[in-house]
Amino acid sequence: MLKHKGRFSSDYFLGILISFPLAYPGPPFYIFSFFVLSALLLRAFNKKVEVDFFAIILLFINSISLILSSLIFNFEFGAGSFTALLGGCIFFVFFVLTHFIRDNGAFIKGFIDGVFVLCLVTILLFFLLGAYKYGVKIFYIPDYRLWAEGVLPDWPNYIVFFFCCAALLLLLRDKKVSVYLVLILIAAAMTTSRLFLVCLLLSIIMLGFLKLSKKSFLVLIILLIVTYFLADFTIGFDEQIVDRMSKSNDREGLFSILIELWSSRPFFGYGVISLHEIADVDYASFHNSYLEMLVKGGGVGFVLFIAFILRGGIILYSSAIPKTDKAILFIILFFFLFSSLFQNYLKHPHIMVLFTFLFYVLPSSYKKEKLV
């Protein structure tokens, strides 16, 4: 499935734009996502599409709830902004307009090709900027981990998601281990994010569903070992890297604060606000998509959010996609949901588009396009 039909349609270029998370002057103003939004909006005047009614209702109610919560919080404390109110409905808008992508294969090819270029740039800069000189310390010393900050967009915690997503989609599309895939995984490792290890593990599981040769498994296992020690040319094994890679409590304090914040406004939350407006913390973001929705939308918004995710899973499960491809898509869905426990990925407009496309648009359009 998702084979490109051989033509470079406008959807191919939309995929490229979604692959590059450039924000100006800074988040959440991801300029390429709004180019995509504008292009799809033009299509909406000339084309009709089927959008899941239940999902529309869930997101619409959630958007209204977030906007009302924002207005109430603003009235009580004088915080909030017009931009925040727009944030209350942006997911709804992206969800609807993503359904106007016409050529699924071209869109995914554009996304993968765009990410591949970013990966090549990452590998090149890793050596040009001298990041390799840090050895394995690059994995646990904050200043070293940020070696590409200000040079590459959304470094490192968000850009690695794009690298990993492209790697998993490559396996879904090509069903083989390729140089293309290996280079993307190497670039993901160079971000120093632990999400790379999750991606590599899921890639190996995918190969099990694809029933590929032992050689393919061996390639990825060797890649795991090589990338783990990639930067360590002269320094012996450093135990601190194990502490960094296995550390799970570095954000427990933040999560406890978020739970306390939610308990103060348990039903409708605070609305679309920044973390610094309601808490004195060192973190710039919520670092958890679910707790972010719990704080912003309260119990009502959280239930609607989870129902929306489950609805996507139900649509995927009931689709006519072949069993192997369906199993791989569920692995990719798990990747989206699991990674969102440690970073608020699902609020990112580019990732909103990818989520909607993979778990709503693609399963729904499978019969009509007869993807093979």
Side-chain angles (χ1 to χ4, degrees):
M1 64 185 298
L2 289 181
K3 293 295 182 182
H4 186 223
K5 297 177 182 178
R7 63 178 184 270
F8 290 96
S9 67
S10 58
D11 291 293
Y12 174 80
F13 296 103
L14 293 181
I16 290 177
L17 292 177
I18 288 298
S19 74
F20 197 76
L22 177 65
Y24 181 82
F29 301 102
Y30 289 93
I31 55 177
F32 289 150
S33 68
F34 292 102
F35 286 147
V36 172
L37 191 74
S38 301
L40 295 176
L41 182 60
L42 292 176
R43 292 183 185 178
F45 293 106
N46 302 309
K47 180 185 177 184
K48 291 183 178 181
V49 295
E50 294 181 8
V51 183
D52 184 72
F53 178 75
F54 187 64
I56 283 285
I57 294 300
L58 288 173
L59 287 181
F60 180 76
I61 296 175
N62 192 35
S63 296
I64 296 300
S65 175
L66 284 171
I67 291 172
L68 290 176
S69 297
S70 299
L71 291 172
I72 292 171
F73 184 74
N74 183 36
F75 178 77
E76 292 180 355
F77 300 97
S81 65
F82 179 70
T83 303
L85 294 181
L86 289 178
C89 59
I90 195 67
F91 201 163
F92 176 80
V93 175
F94 273 106
F95 172 77
V96 173
L97 291 180
T98 299
H99 286 74
F100 287 91
I101 293 173
R102 295 179 295 219
D103 189 337
N104 294 342
F107 178 76
I108 287 300
K109 178 173 174 55
F111 174 75
I112 293 174
D113 288 351
V115 169
F116 184 67
V117 171
L118 273 177
C119 289
L120 292 180
V121 172
T122 299
I123 295 171
L124 181 63
L125 290 176
F126 184 79
F127 294 99
L128 288 180
L129 297 180
Y132 68 92
K133 297 177 182 177
Y134 300 139
V136 293
K137 291 183 174 65
I138 198 173
F139 287 97
Y140 60 82
I141 296 179
D143 288 342
Y144 293 169
R145 291 190 64 233
L146 300 178
W147 64 267
E149 187 177 38
V151 181
L152 293 171
D154 272 357
W155 186 272
N157 290 328
Y158 281 98
I159 199 170
V160 69
F161 184 94
F162 289 79
F163 292 178
C164 293
C165 190
L168 298 177
L169 288 174
L170 255 180
L171 279 174
L172 172 65
R173 189 190 69 180
D174 297 344
K175 297 178 173 57
K176 65 180 181 180
V177 175
S178 62
V179 175
Y180 215 44
L181 174 66
V182 171
L183 288 174
I184 291 176
L185 288 174
I186 288 174
M190 288 177 173
T191 67
T192 74
S193 172
R194 290 169 287 185
L195 192 61
F196 156 72
L197 296 176
V198 176
C199 174
L200 189 55
L201 176 61
L202 293 180
S203 297
I204 294 172
I205 293 174
M206 280 186 175
L207 291 176
F209 282 99
L210 295 173
K211 298 179 181 179
L212 298 185
S213 65
K214 294 180 180 179
K215 182 180 178 181
S216 297
F217 284 99
L218 185 61
V219 168
L220 286 185
I221 291 173
I222 291 175
L223 178 63
L224 173 62
I225 297 172
V226 170
T227 52
Y228 198 69
F229 297 102
L230 183 64
D232 188 17
F233 297 113
T234 59
I235 304 173
F237 182 77
D238 194 324
E239 292 182 358
Q240 291 188 65
I241 192 176
V242 178
D243 294 335
R244 161 65 190 163
M245 290 300 177
S246 60
K247 192 176 181 181
S248 61
N249 63 347
D250 50 342
R251 291 174 184 158
E252 287 181 0
L254 172 63
F255 294 164
S256 297
I257 291 172
L258 296 179
I259 294 295
E260 290 179 10
L261 288 171
W262 166 69
S263 65
S264 298
R265 303 174 77 95
F267 297 108
F268 297 101
Y270 294 80
V272 186
I273 41 80
S274 67
L275 184 57
H276 289 302
E277 289 180 87
I278 55 175
D280 183 17
V281 293
D282 294 330
Y283 292 90
S285 70
F286 289 80
H287 287 288
N288 184 302
S289 292
Y290 312 104
L291 289 179
E292 179 175 19
M293 181 53 68
L294 194 63
V295 171
K296 290 183 176 181
V300 172
F302 180 78
V303 169
L304 292 169
F305 180 65
I306 296 299
F308 170 77
I309 292 173
L310 291 176
R311 181 61 179 171
I314 291 171
I315 290 175
L316 175 58
Y317 179 78
S318 59
S319 70
I321 294 176
K323 289 183 179 179
T324 299
D325 291 334
K326 189 182 293 185
I328 293 176
L329 276 169
F330 268 110
I331 291 174
I332 297 175
L333 175 60
F334 172 80
F335 171 75
F336 271 75
L337 302 183
F338 179 78
S339 60
S340 294
L341 287 169
F342 309 101
Q343 191 61 258
N344 45 344
Y345 289 119
L346 293 178
K347 79 163 189 179
H348 196 295
H350 291 243
I351 297 174
M352 291 178 192
V353 171
L354 289 171
F355 183 91
T356 300
F357 176 80
L358 291 173
F359 309 116
Y360 275 91
V361 177
L362 182 60
S364 299
S365 64
Y366 188 84
K367 274 187 176 181
K368 291 181 284 185
E369 294 196 8
K370 297 181 180 178
L371 298 175
V372 293

Short mmCIF file of all heavy atoms in Angstrom, two decimals, residues 107-135:
data_model
loop_
_atom_site.label_atom_id
_atom_site.label_comp_id
_atom_site.label_asym_id
_atom_site.label_seq_id
_atom_site.Cartn_x
_atom_site.Cartn_y
_atom_site.Cartn_z
N PHE A 107 1.50 11.93 -1.09
CA PHE A 107 1.64 12.68 0.15
C PHE A 107 2.69 12.03 1.05
O PHE A 107 3.58 12.71 1.58
CB PHE A 107 0.30 12.78 0.87
CG PHE A 107 0.36 13.49 2.20
CD1 PHE A 107 0.46 14.88 2.25
CD2 PHE A 107 0.36 12.78 3.38
CE1 PHE A 107 0.53 15.54 3.46
CE2 PHE A 107 0.43 13.43 4.60
CZ PHE A 107 0.52 14.81 4.65
N ILE A 108 2.59 10.71 1.22
CA ILE A 108 3.54 10.01 2.07
C ILE A 108 4.95 10.03 1.47
O ILE A 108 5.94 10.19 2.18
CB ILE A 108 3.08 8.55 2.31
CG1 ILE A 108 1.88 8.55 3.27
CG2 ILE A 108 4.20 7.71 2.91
CD1 ILE A 108 2.17 9.15 4.63
N LYS A 109 5.04 9.89 0.16
CA LYS A 109 6.36 9.97 -0.48
C LYS A 109 6.98 11.34 -0.25
O LYS A 109 8.17 11.45 0.04
CB LYS A 109 6.26 9.68 -1.98
CG LYS A 109 7.60 9.80 -2.71
CD LYS A 109 7.53 9.37 -4.14
CE LYS A 109 8.86 9.65 -4.87
NZ LYS A 109 10.01 9.04 -4.20
N GLY A 110 6.18 12.39 -0.39
CA GLY A 110 6.68 13.73 -0.15
C GLY A 110 7.18 13.89 1.27
O GLY A 110 8.24 14.48 1.52
N PHE A 111 6.40 13.36 2.23
CA PHE A 111 6.80 13.45 3.64
C PHE A 111 8.11 12.71 3.88
O PHE A 111 9.03 13.24 4.50
CB PHE A 111 5.70 12.86 4.53
CG PHE A 111 6.08 12.79 5.98
CD1 PHE A 111 6.10 13.94 6.77
CD2 PHE A 111 6.43 11.58 6.55
CE1 PHE A 111 6.48 13.88 8.11
CE2 PHE A 111 6.81 11.51 7.89
CZ PHE A 111 6.83 12.66 8.67
N ILE A 112 8.21 11.48 3.38
CA ILE A 112 9.42 10.68 3.60
C ILE A 112 10.62 11.33 2.92
O ILE A 112 11.71 11.42 3.50
CB ILE A 112 9.22 9.24 3.09
CG1 ILE A 112 8.18 8.52 3.96
CG2 ILE A 112 10.53 8.47 3.10
CD1 ILE A 112 7.80 7.14 3.44
N ASP A 113 10.45 11.80 1.69
CA ASP A 113 11.56 12.44 0.98
C ASP A 113 12.03 13.71 1.69
O ASP A 113 13.23 13.98 1.80
CB ASP A 113 11.14 12.78 -0.46
CG ASP A 113 11.02 11.56 -1.34
OD1 ASP A 113 11.42 10.46 -0.89
OD2 ASP A 113 10.54 11.68 -2.48
N GLY A 114 11.06 14.50 2.18
CA GLY A 114 11.42 15.71 2.91
C GLY A 114 12.19 15.40 4.18
O GLY A 114 13.20 16.05 4.49
N VAL A 115 11.73 14.39 4.93
CA VAL A 115 12.42 13.99 6.15
C VAL A 115 13.81 13.45 5.82
O VAL A 115 14.79 13.72 6.54
CB VAL A 115 11.60 12.93 6.92
CG1 VAL A 115 12.43 12.31 8.04
CG2 VAL A 115 10.33 13.55 7.51
N PHE A 116 13.92 12.72 4.72
CA PHE A 116 15.21 12.15 4.34
C PHE A 116 16.24 13.26 4.09
O PHE A 116 17.40 13.15 4.49
CB PHE A 116 15.06 11.29 3.09
CG PHE A 116 16.33 10.60 2.68
CD1 PHE A 116 16.88 9.60 3.47
CD2 PHE A 116 16.98 10.94 1.49
CE1 PHE A 116 18.07 8.96 3.10
CE2 PHE A 116 18.15 10.31 1.12
CZ PHE A 116 18.70 9.32 1.93
N VAL A 117 15.82 14.33 3.46
CA VAL A 117 16.72 15.47 3.25
C VAL A 117 17.16 16.06 4.60
O VAL A 117 18.35 16.36 4.80
CB VAL A 117 16.04 16.56 2.38
CG1 VAL A 117 16.89 17.83 2.35
CG2 VAL A 117 15.81 16.04 0.97
N LEU A 118 16.22 16.21 5.51
CA LEU A 118 16.56 16.70 6.85
C LEU A 118 17.55 15.77 7.55
O LEU A 118 18.45 16.22 8.26
CB LEU A 118 15.30 16.83 7.70
CG LEU A 118 14.52 18.14 7.61
CD1 LEU A 118 13.26 18.06 8.46
CD2 LEU A 118 15.37 19.32 8.04
N CYS A 119 17.38 14.46 7.34
CA CYS A 119 18.27 13.48 7.95
C CYS A 119 19.68 13.59 7.38
O CYS A 119 20.67 13.52 8.13
CB CYS A 119 17.73 12.07 7.74
SG CYS A 119 16.25 11.70 8.71
N LEU A 120 19.78 13.76 6.08
CA LEU A 120 21.11 13.93 5.47
C LEU A 120 21.79 15.19 5.99
O LEU A 120 23.00 15.19 6.27
CB LEU A 120 20.97 14.00 3.94
CG LEU A 120 20.53 12.72 3.22
CD1 LEU A 120 20.45 12.96 1.72
CD2 LEU A 120 21.48 11.56 3.53
N VAL A 121 21.01 16.26 6.15
CA VAL A 121 21.56 17.50 6.70
C VAL A 121 22.02 17.27 8.14
O VAL A 121 23.09 17.76 8.55
CB VAL A 121 20.51 18.63 6.63
CG1 VAL A 121 21.00 19.86 7.38
CG2 VAL A 121 20.19 18.98 5.18
N THR A 122 21.25 16.52 8.91
CA THR A 122 21.60 16.23 10.30
C THR A 122 22.92 15.47 10.38
O THR A 122 23.80 15.81 11.19
CB THR A 122 20.48 15.41 10.97
OG1 THR A 122 19.26 16.15 10.96
CG2 THR A 122 20.85 15.07 12.41
N ILE A 123 23.06 14.44 9.56
CA ILE A 123 24.30 13.64 9.57
C ILE A 123 25.49 14.50 9.17
O ILE A 123 26.57 14.42 9.78
CB ILE A 123 24.14 12.43 8.63
CG1 ILE A 123 23.05 11.48 9.17
CG2 ILE A 123 25.47 11.69 8.47
CD1 ILE A 123 22.67 10.37 8.20
N LEU A 124 25.31 15.33 8.17
CA LEU A 124 26.38 16.20 7.71
C LEU A 124 26.80 17.19 8.80
O LEU A 124 27.99 17.37 9.10
CB LEU A 124 25.94 16.96 6.45
CG LEU A 124 26.97 17.90 5.81
CD1 LEU A 124 28.18 17.12 5.33
CD2 LEU A 124 26.34 18.68 4.66
N LEU A 125 25.80 17.81 9.45
CA LEU A 125 26.09 18.79 10.49
C LEU A 125 26.71 18.14 11.73
O LEU A 125 27.48 18.79 12.45
CB LEU A 125 24.80 19.53 10.88
CG LEU A 125 24.24 20.49 9.84
CD1 LEU A 125 22.91 21.08 10.32
CD2 LEU A 125 25.23 21.62 9.55
N PHE A 126 26.37 16.89 11.97
CA PHE A 126 26.93 16.17 13.12
C PHE A 126 28.45 16.19 13.07
O PHE A 126 29.12 16.30 14.10
CB PHE A 126 26.41 14.73 13.13
CG PHE A 126 26.83 13.92 14.32
CD1 PHE A 126 26.20 14.06 15.54
CD2 PHE A 126 27.89 13.01 14.21
CE1 PHE A 126 26.59 13.31 16.63
CE2 PHE A 126 28.29 12.25 15.30
CZ PHE A 126 27.63 12.40 16.51
N PHE A 127 29.00 16.10 11.87
CA PHE A 127 30.45 16.11 11.71
C PHE A 127 30.99 17.51 11.48
O PHE A 127 32.04 17.88 12.02
CB PHE A 127 30.85 15.17 10.56
CG PHE A 127 30.55 13.73 10.86
CD1 PHE A 127 29.41 13.11 10.36
CD2 PHE A 127 31.40 12.99 11.66
CE1 PHE A 127 29.13 11.79 10.64
CE2 PHE A 127 31.13 11.65 11.96
CZ PHE A 127 29.99 11.05 11.45
N LEU A 128 30.27 18.32 10.71
CA LEU A 128 30.75 19.68 10.43
C LEU A 128 30.80 20.53 11.69
O LEU A 128 31.71 21.36 11.86
CB LEU A 128 29.86 20.35 9.38
CG LEU A 128 29.97 19.83 7.94
CD1 LEU A 128 29.02 20.59 7.03
CD2 LEU A 128 31.40 19.94 7.42
N LEU A 129 29.81 20.37 12.57
CA LEU A 129 29.76 21.15 13.81
C LEU A 129 30.58 20.53 14.93
O LEU A 129 30.64 21.07 16.04
CB LEU A 129 28.30 21.33 14.27
CG LEU A 129 27.39 22.09 13.31
CD1 LEU A 129 25.98 22.18 13.87
CD2 LEU A 129 27.94 23.50 13.03
N GLY A 130 31.19 19.38 14.65
CA GLY A 130 32.06 18.74 15.63
C GLY A 130 31.34 18.05 16.77
O GLY A 130 31.94 17.78 17.82
N ALA A 131 30.05 17.71 16.58
CA ALA A 131 29.30 17.05 17.66
C ALA A 131 29.88 15.69 18.00
O ALA A 131 29.79 15.23 19.14
CB ALA A 131 27.83 16.91 17.26
N TYR A 132 30.50 15.04 17.02
CA TYR A 132 31.06 13.71 17.25
C TYR A 132 32.19 13.75 18.29
O TYR A 132 32.50 12.73 18.93
CB TYR A 132 31.58 13.12 15.93
CG TYR A 132 32.80 13.82 15.37
CD1 TYR A 132 34.08 13.38 15.70
CD2 TYR A 132 32.68 14.92 14.54
CE1 TYR A 132 35.20 14.02 15.21
CE2 TYR A 132 33.79 15.57 14.04
CZ TYR A 132 35.05 15.12 14.37
OH TYR A 132 36.16 15.76 13.88
N LYS A 133 32.80 14.90 18.48
CA LYS A 133 33.92 15.02 19.42
C LYS A 133 33.48 14.85 20.88
O LYS A 133 34.31 14.60 21.75
CB LYS A 133 34.60 16.38 19.25
CG LYS A 133 35.23 16.58 17.87
CD LYS A 133 35.82 17.98 17.76
CE LYS A 133 36.41 18.23 16.38
NZ LYS A 133 36.94 19.62 16.24
N TYR A 134 32.19 15.02 21.14
CA TYR A 134 31.71 14.91 22.51
C TYR A 134 31.67 13.48 23.01
O TYR A 134 31.48 13.24 24.20
CB TYR A 134 30.31 15.52 22.64
CG TYR A 134 30.23 16.98 22.25
CD1 TYR A 134 29.15 17.47 21.52
CD2 TYR A 134 31.23 17.87 22.62
CE1 TYR A 134 29.06 18.80 21.16
CE2 TYR A 134 31.15 19.22 22.27
CZ TYR A 134 30.07 19.67 21.54
OH TYR A 134 29.99 20.99 21.19
N GLY A 135 31.81 12.52 22.10
CA GLY A 135 31.72 11.13 22.51
C GLY A 135 30.33 10.79 23.02
O GLY A 135 29.35 11.43 22.68
#
